[in-house]
Amino acid sequence: MKTTLLLLACACSLGQPTSRSEWQLTSQLAPGQELVYTGTYTEESLVPNVHFQRQYRLESLVFVLDGAARQWDVALMTTLSERTPRPEPGVKEMKQVSVRLDLAKLDGQGRLRDAKGAALLAPLGGPPTFEAGCFVEVPALRLTKNSAWEINEDSRPPRSWQVVGVEVVNGVTCVKLAGHQQSPDWDRPRGDQTAWRRRDVVWMAPQLGVAQKVERTIEQRDPLRRDPTQRSVVQYELTSPFRYPGRLFEDRKQEILKAKKFHDEATALLQQPAPNRPQLDALIKKVSVHLEYQSPTPYRKAIVHLASRLEDAKSGKATPHAAIDDDPRPMTAVGRGQRVPDFVVKAFTGKEESVRLSRSLGRPVLVFFYVPSTETGREVVEYAKGMAQQHGDKLAMMAMAVTGDARFVQKQHRDLQLPFAVLDGRAMHLTFGVDATPRLVLLDADGIVRYAHTGWGPHIPRELQDELQQWLRK
């Protein structure tokens, strides 16, 4: 009964309105406090004629382990999930691709640091495997509407913040903050590097000094471009602000610390699993014992995810989402062993105006970029024609013509009597790492890159055929 009353009291305190015209937005947490945020992460291409979008479900948990003198030890667990590429009919399964657990120190001004004192910052590109946007670094003074300040972020340009007003979010009266940050070359396009701009909107609940709602938009602009070419949006809301006492607190704290210990032991082993096989087996056994005999908490999924990675390392399996786990990157070339995100491209020929990758999956897909007007380009497309005739419906073709001359493509398509449509390949260079042509990429039936090569020579058909034989379904 006591536990229930404590949980209800904490929930009700967040719903109490505030009518003040000035606010002290410093953090006000206590050991056992758990903040649960749920939302989405979406990234998309802004290049004309390219329809690319990928979305993840985002869950961020913050748990206060200890606190004294306006400083708290906190655990942050970020979980990203995506829909399976080809789920069974009627199934809407969300597949976890990343579970990351971090320990950090938080002060009253919202500054978040790791054990070595370094700032913990959200990635500017790629999925947010670490998410802590619920904390905003604020000055140690009362703020009013239009109050503004700047925060230095190590190697990044300063981030500016401003109070823009008051809004109610889910029954909680919040102070609305707007943040802005950009690379020095955002307003002066250059041809040698990618520019970026970040804009945040955070609705802060003054009672706790943490966010009730967060929205973050990051735009990127490729070299030699004047308009943004990629955009990612993070948005989530606080769904549970409870404080857990007694045994509920201890269970969570102990599992968090155990998960961190397992992760630290696994770091070196995952980098070189083969020479460390005995240690890997011993760690797998310790993790299994914990999962079997200890009571689960919401932080159990971090240990389960680590157990999966350890088993993959033991069996020598490649992990398609390894880059998402530990090294978030912007939307750059997809490498061997990684899944190509679904996309839609315009068609130069064929019955359809556009073609979607996911509709070709279920069989290997040969994606090849070529310049139709060149002798090499013609040779490549004729080779692809032969492959299509040899394998029929067992192999899908995505011919990506790197040209804007639709009439030439259409004429060549008729002259060569190609059995597949020719697509506009000018927009997918970033995803497939096309810095020269021809570029050939072989995907398996699940859309994972199994072969990639730039250039053309007598050895290419043999290499490609050997690789294809491994992925053709009998």
Side-chain angles (χ1 to χ4, degrees):
M1 183 65 179
K2 182 183 295 184
T3 299
T4 303
L5 291 175
L6 282 170
L7 299 182
L8 290 175
C10 184
C12 292
S13 68
L14 284 179
Q16 296 173 2
T18 175
S19 57
R20 296 175 297 178
S21 58
E22 58 179 29
W23 310 273
Q24 188 85 35
L25 296 181
T26 53
S27 301
Q28 303 174 50
L29 302 175
Q33 196 97 47
E34 184 178 67
L35 309 173
V36 180
Y37 293 90
T38 58
T40 60
Y41 166 78
T42 304
E43 61 182 9
E44 61 183 340
S45 172
L46 302 178
V47 178
N49 299 322
V50 176
H51 303 282
F52 163 83
Q53 187 179 82
R54 175 168 54 182
Q55 186 175 83
Y56 295 88
R57 182 183 183 275
L58 171 68
E59 181 183 68
S60 176
L61 273 66
V62 179
F63 190 74
V64 183
L65 300 168
D66 201 356
R70 305 297 297 167
Q71 182 168 289
W72 299 270
D73 293 327
V74 297
L76 305 100
M77 187 174 75
T78 305
T79 304
L80 288 168
S81 306
E82 66 173 350
R83 294 188 185 279
T84 54
R86 294 183 295 112
E88 296 296 327
V91 177
K92 296 183 178 180
E93 179 184 357
M94 299 296 289
K95 181 180 180 182
Q96 288 183 3
V97 295
S98 174
V99 183
R100 174 172 164 176
L101 181 64
D102 293 89
L103 300 185
K105 291 188 178 296
L106 174 74
D107 68 16
Q109 270 56 65
R111 286 186 290 260
L112 201 63
R113 298 288 187 270
D114 64 14
K116 297 179 180 180
L120 291 169
L121 307 176
L124 294 174
T129 56
F130 170 77
E131 181 55 50
C134 59
F135 300 116
V136 176
E137 189 170 342
V138 297
L141 49 82
R142 292 189 177 275
L143 303 174
T144 62
K145 186 176 181 180
N146 297 325
S147 291
W149 65 98
E150 283 193 347
I151 301 299
N152 292 320
E153 290 192 345
D154 295 343
S155 59
R156 297 180 184 176
R159 183 148 58 119
S160 61
W161 287 96
Q162 184 175 13
V163 178
V164 296
V166 175
E167 287 186 9
V168 177
V169 178
N170 295 330
V172 179
T173 302
C174 299
V175 181
K176 185 177 181 181
L177 309 179
H180 183 269
Q181 186 182 35
Q182 66 185 41
S183 60
D185 57 341
W186 181 259
D187 295 323
R188 300 183 300 278
R190 297 174 51 172
D192 58 346
Q193 62 187 31
T194 299
W196 57 270
R197 176 174 64 185
R198 170 181 176 174
R199 288 175 291 183
D200 297 76
V201 182
V202 179
W203 289 261
M204 296 290 288
Q207 292 85 354
L208 288 179
V210 299
Q212 183 73 21
K213 180 179 177 181
V214 175
E215 291 182 359
R216 179 171 69 247
T217 301
I218 298 178
E219 296 170 298
Q220 294 186 351
R221 185 182 63 237
D222 291 340
L224 301 177
R225 297 271 190 167
R226 289 195 168 274
D227 299 320
T229 52
Q230 298 103 38
R231 177 171 57 208
S232 63
V233 179
V234 173
Q235 49 188 1
Y236 52 88
E237 297 184 18
L238 180 65
T239 58
S240 173
F242 296 144
R243 181 181 179 187
Y244 293 91
R247 189 63 189 176
L248 293 173
F249 165 68
E250 288 298 331
D251 287 346
R252 281 166 163 76
K253 181 176 180 178
Q254 292 306 314
E255 185 144 66
I256 288 169
L257 296 178
K258 182 65 71 171
K260 180 61 176 174
K261 184 175 184 296
F262 287 152
H263 180 273
D264 291 345
E265 291 182 33
T267 300
L269 302 181
L270 289 173
Q271 292 174 353
Q272 294 183 314
N276 295 299
R277 181 62 181 269
Q279 297 92 324
L280 189 65
D281 289 339
L283 180 56
I284 290 174
K285 184 176 181 179
K286 286 196 293 185
V287 172
S288 298
V289 170
H290 176 88
L291 294 176
E292 184 174 356
Y293 293 105
Q294 298 300 316
S295 300
T297 75
Y299 304 90
R300 170 65 54 92
K301 65 178 64 175
I303 300 178
V304 172
H305 187 70
L306 177 61
S308 176
R309 295 184 64 197
L310 291 171
E311 289 292 346
D312 284 345
K314 177 180 177 179
S315 61
K317 293 180 181 178
T319 305
H321 296 284
I324 291 180
D325 282 331
D326 296 314
D327 188 16
R329 296 180 175 89
M331 295 192 311
T332 54
V334 178
R336 183 172 297 193
Q338 294 180 313
R339 181 176 287 108
V340 176
D342 194 18
F343 62 85
V344 177
V345 290
K346 177 184 175 183
F348 282 133
T349 68
K351 299 179 180 179
E352 304 292 335
E353 292 185 359
S354 60
V355 173
R356 181 182 292 273
L357 171 63
S358 59
R359 293 177 182 172
S360 297
L361 297 181
R363 52 184 170 165
V365 182
L366 178 59
V367 185
F368 60 97
F369 294 79
Y370 69 105
V371 178
S373 60
T374 65
E375 182 178 345
T376 301
R378 184 183 178 96
E379 186 176 348
V380 170
V381 79
E382 288 180 330
Y383 163 76
K385 176 184 176 181
M387 290 280 284
Q389 292 172 336
Q390 177 184 354
H391 298 288
D393 293 338
K394 293 183 179 180
L395 175 65
M397 291 287 181
M398 297 193 77
M400 313 288 275
V402 185
T403 180
D405 192 344
R407 290 185 179 180
F408 184 90
V409 172
Q410 293 161 1
K411 182 178 184 303
Q412 187 180 72
H413 186 271
R414 290 192 302 269
D415 293 344
L416 296 179
Q417 298 182 0
L418 300 179
F420 45 78
V422 178
L423 314 175
D424 187 347
R426 293 172 295 173
M428 298 306 297
H429 284 203
L430 190 63
T431 298
F432 287 96
V434 182
D435 52 15
T437 60
R439 171 77 169 167
L440 296 93
V441 181
L442 179 66
L443 313 180
D444 67 14
D446 294 318
I448 296 174
V449 176
R450 298 302 180 183
Y451 175 88
H453 184 82
T454 298
W456 185 250
H459 63 289
I460 302 303
R462 182 181 65 256
E463 292 179 357
L464 191 55
Q465 187 70 30
D466 290 345
E467 189 67 36
L468 177 61
Q469 290 304 318
Q470 301 181 44
W471 306 105
L472 284 172
R473 292 182 174 174
K474 305 300 182 182

